[in-house]
Amino acid sequence: MAGFWGKRKREQEELHAQDADVARRAQIALVATDERIRVTTDELAFADAELGPTSTKDLRDALESVRTHMSEAFHLHQLNHDDIPDTPEELRTRNARIVQLCEWAEELLDDRTAALAEPIERARRAPEIIARVRADTARLRTRVPHARETVQRLAARYAPEALEQVESNPSEADQLLGFAEHSATVAERRREAGQREQANLALEASTEAARRAATLIDAVETFEVEALRAESTLAAVVEESREDLMAARSAPQVPAVTTAMSNLQAALKTLPAVGVNTDPFALLSRLRDANSELDAAISAARERAARVIPDMAHVRHAIDDADQQLAVARSVIAGHRGWIGADARTRLAEAERLRTNLDHFLGTSASTAITIDDDHREQALTFARRVAFLAGEALQLAQRDINSSRPSGGDQWGPPGPGGGRRGGGSDLMGGLLGGFVIGSLLDGMFD
């Protein structure tokens, strides 16, 4: 008994310690969150001055929501210290709720202030960013004439369709640089006028315009390098294509291979003569596609040649066997519907579905089809064997259901003796019946 009371006392002491810890955490959390609200309110005022009220709406809404919920937390804390006695459970519940509300408030304010950190930092550095944008635009303007000269030089070597992606880049870059300079000036003036939100928008537009102008100018120089590389690669691919055509003659000359060879030959014939302006990217893409088509066709043809294609007689035999197995299973199940369970019926239904799919696959009635091409024989054989397997399973499951439904005892088939009864040959007879030698009305008569 002393041990019991000792254990009970320890449990109560542990519970009191836990309650005291939660109460302490609730008080600390209340103070910390209240201070966080005051600090964030000051940060909101600064953010409004730097970014404008539109950009700080999410933080403002978060502060309002936090204040509303924290009023509940302070009310709960007040209830813990009023004149009305509270049970330990009530105190524990209130303190846990206070901690929960404070943690939620801290997380929400962290999220909203973090989202504004980068825009505020950018706004603080606005003069520095404006100076950098102007320096970048001045530097990029010196590259625009060189980009125009590069496009003119490329136009003498490549077809117009090849230059479509870069021929207007210098002019577009020049316009973007002018827009970047103007936006930087607007940002500076708006900032001096205290219109921080408009100033920040203009500053972002200026920075983006300068970045896009640099990208357009770089693309001109990159195009020249990539075009030369494409020409070099094209020569190697042309030689490789001619070697592939020679090697393809030893591959099985199936329709897919001959078609792919014709397509590759046609792609080679479209190559312009020396000195004619070309689009090396389009030519290279066309040759690669034709090469890939030929490689795939040869690989498929050789794989097919390595496989043993089933003889037509084997395919026909498999289809006939599937039909016979299906007919036997169908007859047994139809003749004893009251005894047949779901498993046998499901196998039969699946076998019949696959048998129908086999006809659709061959495009005709498989049992009457005159020929089946090489590509379809292996699949037709697989279909037929699957139908036969499922029909055989349906038949075995049907036999199981029929056997389990018979009356138990010796009088299963009638009185014993010479004039009736199952006698010793019953199982052999059943095997013959289910093997397909006797079906239909004979089975109905036997089991009736």
Side-chain angles (χ1 to χ4, degrees):
M1 182 63 70
F4 170 77
W5 290 114
K7 179 179 180 183
R8 181 68 178 271
K9 183 179 179 180
R10 286 194 301 272
E11 291 177 349
Q12 290 178 346
E13 290 175 350
E14 291 176 359
L15 186 58
H16 290 327
Q18 292 175 3
D19 289 344
D21 181 65
V22 173
R24 183 181 57 81
R25 289 171 54 203
Q27 293 182 17
I28 295 174
L30 267 178
V31 174
T33 305
D34 189 51
E35 285 299 316
R36 177 61 187 278
I37 291 173
R38 298 177 189 278
V39 171
T40 305
T41 302
D42 295 339
E43 292 178 348
L44 176 61
F46 176 79
D48 280 338
E50 290 291 335
L51 304 176
T54 302
S55 300
T56 58
K57 182 179 182 302
D58 288 344
L59 179 57
R60 187 178 301 104
D61 292 343
L63 266 174
E64 288 299 323
S65 180
V66 165
R67 288 191 182 103
T68 299
H69 286 81
M70 286 307 296
S71 65
E72 176 189 350
F74 280 110
H75 177 65
L76 292 174
H77 187 65
Q78 176 61 34
L79 291 177
N80 289 343
H81 297 83
D82 60 15
D83 297 332
I84 302 174
D86 300 307
T87 64
E89 289 78 10
E90 289 175 335
L91 291 171
R92 189 181 307 123
T93 301
R94 288 173 192 161
N95 287 327
R97 175 62 176 165
I98 292 171
V99 172
Q100 180 187 35
L101 288 171
C102 292
E103 289 177 348
W104 167 82
E106 293 276 2
E107 290 176 0
L108 180 61
L109 294 179
D110 284 345
D111 180 70
R112 295 298 186 268
T113 53
L116 290 177
E118 183 178 351
I120 290 175
E121 178 63 21
R122 187 165 56 247
R124 287 174 174 171
R125 296 173 50 242
E128 176 188 342
I129 295 175
I130 291 174
R132 189 178 69 236
V133 168
R134 285 174 172 163
D136 289 344
T137 54
R139 176 178 53 81
L140 289 170
R141 280 200 179 280
T142 63
R143 296 178 59 192
V144 172
H146 180 265
R148 285 198 174 98
E149 293 174 2
T150 301
V151 170
Q152 293 175 357
R153 184 172 64 254
L154 293 173
R157 183 179 182 88
Y158 300 109
E161 55 269 20
L163 291 176
E164 286 180 353
Q165 53 183 307
V166 296
E167 63 180 350
S168 61
N169 283 20
S171 298
E172 292 179 4
D174 191 40
Q175 294 175 6
L176 285 170
L177 291 173
F179 179 76
E181 291 170 342
H182 175 70
S183 297
T185 302
V186 170
E188 197 170 43
R189 290 175 179 173
R190 292 292 186 272
R191 186 172 180 82
E192 292 173 354
Q195 299 172 338
R196 298 301 179 90
E197 189 169 358
Q198 296 180 9
N200 292 328
L201 290 174
L203 183 59
E204 290 181 5
S206 176
T207 304
E208 178 63 16
R211 186 195 64 79
R212 289 180 56 193
T215 301
L216 291 174
I217 295 174
D218 290 341
V220 174
E221 298 176 0
T222 301
F223 177 88
E224 184 173 27
V225 174
E226 292 300 324
L228 292 172
R229 184 177 299 168
E231 285 187 281
S232 176
T233 305
L234 181 62
V237 173
V238 168
E239 184 64 27
E240 180 183 345
S241 298
R242 288 170 178 159
E243 294 176 357
D244 288 346
L245 284 172
M246 293 292 294
R249 295 177 182 176
S250 61
Q253 296 301 298
V254 297
V257 172
T258 56
T259 300
M261 291 176 65
S262 299
N263 292 340
L264 182 54
Q265 289 170 344
L268 288 171
K269 289 180 181 179
T270 60
L271 294 175
V274 177
V276 177
N277 290 2
T278 64
D279 182 353
F281 302 104
L283 294 175
L284 186 59
S285 177
R286 190 179 305 125
L287 276 180
R288 280 175 171 165
D289 290 344
N291 258 301
S292 298
E293 180 188 2
L294 180 58
D295 290 341
I298 291 175
S299 178
R302 285 175 175 165
E303 181 181 354
R304 189 181 303 112
R307 293 198 312 264
V308 178
I309 299 175
D311 185 78
M312 187 62 198
H314 292 167
V315 179
R316 286 183 178 277
H317 175 73
I319 294 174
D320 292 341
D321 179 61
D323 288 340
Q324 183 181 9
Q325 294 285 342
L326 194 57
V328 172
R330 189 185 296 121
S331 297
V332 170
I333 293 174
H336 304 85
R337 293 175 183 170
W339 293 1
I340 306 302
D343 291 345
R345 295 170 186 266
T346 300
R347 299 299 194 282
L348 177 62
E350 180 65 9
E352 290 177 333
R353 184 186 70 81
L354 290 179
R355 183 61 182 83
T356 301
N357 289 347
L358 177 57
D359 283 344
H360 291 163
F361 171 72
L362 297 174
T364 181
S365 174
S367 58
T368 60
I370 299 175
T371 59
I372 303 175
D373 59 50
D374 294 351
D375 292 335
H376 291 165
R377 285 186 192 177
E378 188 172 357
Q379 292 171 278
L381 186 63
T382 302
F383 260 118
R385 287 175 174 172
R386 181 61 179 166
V387 171
F389 174 77
L390 288 171
E393 275 197 336
L395 201 56
Q396 293 175 7
L397 293 170
Q399 180 179 4
R400 180 199 66 185
D401 293 339
I402 293 169
N403 290 340
S404 63
S405 299
R406 293 196 199 114
S408 59
D411 292 336
Q412 297 181 15
W413 298 99
R422 187 173 178 182
R423 294 188 291 271
S427 59
D428 294 337
L429 178 60
M430 177 57 69
L433 292 175
L434 297 180
F437 295 107
V438 183
I439 58 176
S441 61
L442 177 56
L443 277 173
D444 291 341
M446 282 286 293
F447 291 108
D448 288 341

